[in-house]
Amino acid sequence: MTNRAIGIMGGTFDPVHYGHLVTAESVRAHYGLQEVVFVPTGMPPHKSPEQVSQAEHRYLMTVLATATNPAFSVSRSEIDRPGPSFTADTVREVRQSRGPLDEIVFITGADAVRQLPSWSRLDEIFQHCEVVAASRPGYPFAEFEQEIALLPRPLRRRIHFLEVPALAISSSDIRHRVAEGMPIRYLVPEAVQIYIDKMGLYRKVPAAANRRGDLS
Ligand code: NAP
């Protein structure tokens, strides 16, 4: 990897957890990235609005989680852009705003990457970046490979698979634990835990209100 390189960490981050932070830091170290910009999705194209928490909550939790790492930052790009969040728009924006970067590495979960054949404007994404597919331990790599095989070889060669043991932590498990009143300490940074508690996120009863309502 060349001297000037930046990571874009794409995800819903509902909520962000230590698995995401360890992934970003591992990829940063492995590829010698100067920085990793976390980009919470505004409106994921493959999900309905009721399925995800308010973008502002997800953004603020990501800011809290990344605050102590000088190489990490958070972008509002997808949150502020109206309409569905397409990765092609995001990487193009980063490329335009950062100037002639040597390399962009788009990092996200392997389950999202295996859906790549159905994403829009793939050529544009791969024109701008390499893709890292981060997976949980025991991930069915054969299935991943099968789906990725639908992509043309030159694009496939720009996809890198990375197993991250810390991704045993998952956002869905955290949401489930909060709903069931189970502890999430040591799964998310303390500030995120306090934010979830303060805003009543993921609780069984007010969950519906939080998915649609205000931050207040
Ligand atoms: P998702 O379906 O919520 O997540 C799929 C899996 O990947 C989950 O197991 C998830 O675990 C994991 N994951 C997600 N982001 C991760 C990350 N940064 N690092 C490690 N694991 C991660 O996927 P999503 O979050 O909605 O989408 C992922 C990215 O793909 C986003 O940037 C999204 O905008 C992009 N995307 C683009 C298009 C398009 O342009 N057409 C379509 C789909 C997705 P956790 O739940 O624990 O995070």
Side-chain angles (χ1 to χ4, degrees):
M1 190 66 50
T2 43
N3 279 343
R4 275 170 52 77
I6 178 177
I8 300 177
M9 179 78 169
T12 305
F13 303 130
D14 193 17
V16 65
H17 52 67
Y18 276 124
H20 297 130
L21 299 174
V22 170
T23 299
E25 185 61 11
S26 306
V27 177
R28 191 191 69 73
H30 185 78
Y31 289 97
L33 308 177
Q34 268 72 54
E35 55 176 313
V36 178
V37 183
F38 284 64
V39 185
T41 50
M43 187 56 248
H46 58 305
K47 293 178 185 169
S48 62
E50 310 80 55
Q51 281 179 279
V52 287
S53 301
Q54 251 185 80
E56 206 62 35
H57 283 313
R58 295 184 286 103
Y59 168 76
L60 288 173
M61 288 190 281
T62 310
V63 169
L64 290 170
T66 53
T68 54
N69 188 329
F72 288 175
S73 61
V74 188
S75 163
R76 295 189 60 91
S77 147
E78 291 193 1
I79 286 177
D80 291 343
R81 198 165 61 224
S85 305
F86 292 112
T87 300
D89 295 326
T90 306
V91 294
R92 191 187 52 229
E93 259 180 44
V94 170
R95 177 64 85 195
Q96 282 168 354
S97 68
R98 302 290 173 132
L101 288 164
D102 286 337
E103 198 62 71
I104 296 176
V105 179
F106 180 73
I107 312 154
T108 195
D111 272 344
V113 174
R114 65 195 274 179
Q115 306 293 331
L116 262 171
S118 68
W119 291 17
S120 42
R121 286 173 286 142
L122 271 189
D123 285 342
E124 207 174 329
I125 296 174
F126 283 97
Q127 176 196 340
H128 292 297
C129 42
E130 302 278 319
V131 172
V132 169
S135 82
R136 315 207 128 85
Y139 189 83
F141 182 65
E143 289 174 25
F144 174 87
E145 262 194 322
Q146 234 173 18
E147 303 211 21
I148 290 302
L150 299 173
L151 294 170
R153 185 188 289 263
L155 305 194
R156 240 166 35 220
R157 288 172 64 170
R158 302 198 72 178
I159 298 176
H160 312 279
F161 188 83
L162 178 74
E163 187 173 288
V164 182
L167 279 176
I169 303 173
S170 78
S171 298
S172 56
D173 178 54
I174 290 165
R175 294 195 299 273
H176 171 77
R177 293 177 77 87
V178 174
E180 296 301 322
M182 291 155 73
I184 57 167
R185 178 176 264 177
Y186 308 129
L187 300 177
V188 298
E190 193 180 8
V192 173
Q193 186 196 333
I194 292 169
Y195 185 92
I196 290 170
D197 194 35
K198 182 175 166 183
M199 295 298 171
L201 300 183
Y202 312 126
R203 286 184 199 161
K204 259 185 189 153
V205 178
N210 277 320
R211 275 160 204 263
R212 294 190 301 271
D214 298 334
L215 284 174
S216 56

